[in-house]
Amino acid sequence: MGKIFRYECKRLLWNKFFFGLLLVSLFYGWQVLSGVTILGVSHTAPFSPWSFGDYLCRMVPLLWIGALFFLTFFTSGRARRAAVLTDAAPMPPRRYALARCAAALAGTALLALACLGEAAVFYGWYFKWYHWSTLLLPALVTLTPPLVFALGSGWLLGRLRPWLIYVWMPVPFALAALPLPEALGLWNGSFFTRYPLTLEALDPAFSLPPAAAAAQCVLLAAGAALLAARARQGRIRRQAGEAGI
Amino acid sequence: MQLNIQHVSMTYPNGKQALKDLDLELKTPSLIGLLGPNGAGKSTLMKLLVAALMPTAGSILVDGEPLPKADRRLKAQLGYLPQDFGLFDELTVTEFLDYMAALKGLPDPKAAIRAVVRAVNLEEKARSRIRTLSGGQRQRVGIAQALLGDPPLLIFDEPTVGLDPEERIHFRNLFSRAAQDRLVLLSTHIIEDVQSVCDCLVVMDHGQVLFTGTPEELIRSAQGHVGVFWEREEAQEAGLHITARVNTSQGVRCRAVADQLPPYAQAEEPTLEDAYLYLTSREAVQ
């Protein structure tokens, strides 16, 4: 299983599309950091969890696209044609799916880490600020649920129709344009700019209202459930042409 | 190894009936040629045999155990080359074979990969990325992954498509050697591929088995039904199935198969191709 994971990582990460996506993410990230985050959001410091969270919310659409892009390696028509060979092998489908899920998660985590690393470099460079541990919680809360959900839902959609993954890619952009309720503020980035103002304190400590925390938990649970469902799926099919992906 | 196909029928969700009440017994050692025109049901039968599809009726037994219960046991002994397949273009030939060896759980993948790369004449391309390979070389990678780990059951669906004549002969011999102690099922519509190497033929058409037996038996069944004649008029060809037309200095020499040869036709010794065409044309008439 380790070997499959390594080869899948190589397929996903050692190609011009990944490097292109990485470069675009880093370029956009630097623009956000040096143009928006540097000013601080909601009257907080640029290196406050709120400003950092705002930066991450702006990065989520690109990371979402990256996560779905990794899935195209498993759900494309070409991948389906390769699945007729891999399906005939005796490795249990669950283990195989797990190795591939792990590779997609690793690729997504790598993209996210590149964005986090860029922010760390930015804070060190401009503010000589190195207390990164205070940013861990907003990073986990902001990134983990949508990215796990992107992988889970993307896998399901890609299995139904490969092109649905591409339709799914601009969803975060659509959410950013919608006036979502406060509990879903993390989904369109409004949470980090609005919520600190309601706390009536200067540079308040990071906290999450129960409704927003519940929304993120639901998103994470839904993503994890979809990934688990994919891993549980058997490979014997009754319909011709339906390949295991 | 023994595969028993018992009263198997397969109807696709679109209503197309690909197989009708099929009964076959396949045993090791044997090289079985599965012949039939396009759409005869060969590929569907192969997909059923590798548990990629489930029959809508009947059962398939692997050493007495029915599919899909025997799915894992079957796949642990299987090398499969489908008619239409994809490869991971981002990997090199060796990496792809290593990937497949990991899926098959081979204990010594390096030795297994070396052996199959040599067997399919891809040593020079072993470190090349798959996306740089020609169609024939990709086909050879497909054959190589099927041969990985010397599986006791080999199922090849149109394996020689895209190969040059020299390679086709090479692979025919390779399959023949492999069949000495294995069960090899070779689907093709190229008679030459099965003529010289198969010890058993299964001829299919319209989802049914028309013939099961040795090539010699198939040839014998066409004895007295193959003839040649000089082409004079179009009307001469009525009721005949023309298998060849050769231009000579004296005119066009026709070769034909028919249930009843006309008096102007001179009987000829049938070839396997004649016998196959006789069988399928007779079925079409019926």
Side-chain angles (χ1 to χ4, degrees):
Chain A
M1 199 162 118
K3 196 179 266 182
I4 298 294
F5 172 74
R6 282 198 300 278
Y7 278 128
E8 288 297 353
C9 282
K10 186 183 175 190
R11 288 181 62 221
L12 264 51
L13 305 178
W14 195 248
N15 61 71
K16 58 187 175 196
F17 299 106
F18 172 74
F19 287 107
L21 197 64
L22 186 64
L23 283 177
V24 168
S25 300
L26 292 177
F27 175 76
Y28 177 68
W30 196 259
Q31 296 298 311
V32 172
L33 287 166
S34 57
V36 181
T37 313
I38 198 167
L39 302 173
V41 300
S42 305
H43 314 303
T44 65
F47 38 80
S48 73
W50 306 102
S51 300
F52 179 66
D54 177 69
Y55 158 71
L56 293 180
C57 273
R58 290 170 190 269
M59 296 307 294
V60 161
L62 279 181
L63 296 175
W64 173 282
I65 288 173
L68 293 180
F69 161 74
F70 292 133
L71 296 182
T72 61
F73 281 80
F74 308 139
T75 59
S76 65
R78 216 180 51 174
R80 283 165 187 257
R81 289 179 66 231
V84 293
L85 298 182
T86 57
D87 274 3
M91 179 180 266
R94 194 180 294 192
R95 284 183 65 194
Y96 186 44
L98 203 65
R100 297 185 119 191
C101 278
L105 275 169
T108 309
L110 204 67
L111 268 183
L113 280 174
C115 295
L116 296 175
E118 186 178 37
V121 168
F122 173 81
Y123 289 141
W125 184 284
Y126 279 91
F127 304 106
K128 308 281 182 255
W129 186 89
Y130 303 103
H131 305 288
W132 299 321
S133 59
T134 59
L135 305 180
L136 204 61
L137 186 60
L140 283 174
V141 165
T142 311
L143 295 182
T144 314
L147 296 182
V148 170
F149 184 73
L151 290 172
S153 58
W155 216 318
L156 177 76
L157 292 172
R159 203 174 68 79
L160 294 174
R161 293 280 179 276
W163 52 265
L164 281 176
I165 285 193
Y166 297 99
V167 174
W168 203 230
M169 281 183 179
V171 162
F173 294 101
L175 286 177
L178 290 174
L180 297 177
E182 198 179 294
L184 306 181
L186 275 160
W187 296 8
N188 67 357
S190 64
F191 172 77
F192 289 101
T193 52
R194 287 189 194 153
Y195 186 65
L197 298 174
T198 65
L199 296 174
E200 294 177 350
L202 191 65
D203 233 339
F206 181 71
S207 62
L208 206 59
Q216 292 302 88
C217 285
V218 167
L219 194 63
L220 180 64
L226 289 169
L227 280 176
R230 167 66 195 100
R232 269 203 302 273
Q233 206 175 38
R235 286 188 301 186
I236 291 192
R237 285 162 299 281
R238 287 171 189 275
Q239 285 186 314
E242 189 189 341
I245 46 179
Chain B
M1 179 162 211
Q2 186 170 337
L3 294 174
N4 291 84
I5 299 156
Q6 298 176 337
H7 305 292
V8 162
S9 296
M10 177 68 200
T11 305
Y12 286 103
N14 63 8
K16 191 199 168 198
Q17 189 168 20
L19 297 177
K20 295 169 199 164
D21 198 28
L22 218 69
D23 274 301
L24 275 175
E25 187 180 280
L26 315 172
K27 264 186 193 171
T28 301
S30 192
L31 175 44
I32 298 160
L34 191 55
L35 280 173
N38 291 328
K42 305 188 297 288
S43 293
T44 300
L45 176 61
M46 294 210 152
K47 284 176 189 168
L48 291 170
L49 287 176
V50 302
L53 289 174
M54 289 296 292
T56 43
S59 56
I60 297 172
L61 307 181
V62 181
D63 291 329
E65 194 182 4
L67 282 175
K69 204 177 154 196
D71 180 57
R72 288 285 300 283
R73 196 148 68 89
L74 169 81
K75 285 175 179 175
Q77 304 181 73
L78 172 69
Y80 174 49
L81 177 78
Q83 190 176 359
D84 184 31
F85 63 92
L87 303 168
F88 297 142
D89 288 352
E90 307 85 3
L91 302 181
T92 66
V93 171
T94 305
E95 285 170 343
F96 176 72
L97 293 173
D98 196 29
Y99 185 106
M100 292 305 297
L103 280 178
K104 291 185 174 198
L106 299 185
D108 186 1
K110 277 185 183 170
I113 292 166
R114 262 199 310 274
V116 295
V117 165
R118 201 180 312 123
V120 301
N121 282 339
L122 270 177
E123 283 144 311
E124 283 177 18
K125 294 284 177 184
R127 290 179 187 278
S128 303
R129 279 193 195 279
I130 288 173
R131 74 160 59 92
T132 65
L133 302 183
S134 68
Q137 287 165 341
R138 292 173 73 90
Q139 187 72 7
R140 282 190 269 163
V141 175
I143 295 172
Q145 66 78 32
L147 294 171
L148 262 177
D150 285 332
L153 170 63
L154 287 165
I155 296 183
F156 294 107
D157 198 353
E158 306 280 0
T160 55
V161 168
L163 299 179
D164 60 43
E166 198 183 332
E167 284 296 337
R168 269 177 50 198
I169 293 165
H170 169 76
F171 281 106
R172 258 186 245 158
N173 295 333
L174 182 72
F175 301 148
S176 175
R177 277 198 303 276
Q180 282 169 3
D181 54 354
R182 294 186 188 86
L183 175 57
V184 182
L185 189 56
L186 191 71
S187 159
T188 184
H189 57 261
I190 305 169
I191 308 286
E192 272 176 75
D193 280 353
V194 295
Q195 187 157 21
S196 50
V197 292
C198 290
D199 53 13
C200 178
L201 291 180
V202 175
V203 182
M204 289 179 68
D205 200 7
H206 299 107
Q208 288 175 311
V209 172
L210 304 184
F211 172 86
T212 312
T214 63
E216 293 73 28
E217 284 169 343
L218 181 58
I219 291 170
R220 266 201 301 277
S221 72
Q223 211 86 293
H225 299 287
V226 181
V228 291
F229 61 92
W230 295 106
E231 186 183 65
R232 306 284 181 223
E233 299 165 27
E234 291 276 322
Q236 274 185 308
E237 294 176 18
L240 299 176
H241 187 84
I242 306 294
T243 60
R245 252 192 188 86
V246 181
N247 286 307
T248 69
S249 57
Q250 295 163 345
V252 178
R253 188 77 164 154
C254 294
R255 189 177 179 93
V257 294
D259 258 339
Q260 286 270 305
L261 284 177
Y264 53 81
Q266 180 190 338
E268 280 274 309
E269 196 60 32
T271 63
L272 188 63
E273 190 167 8
D274 292 326
Y276 167 73
L277 289 169
Y278 172 61
L279 186 69
T280 51
S281 63
R282 198 174 55 173
E283 179 66 16
V285 169
Q286 283 170 0

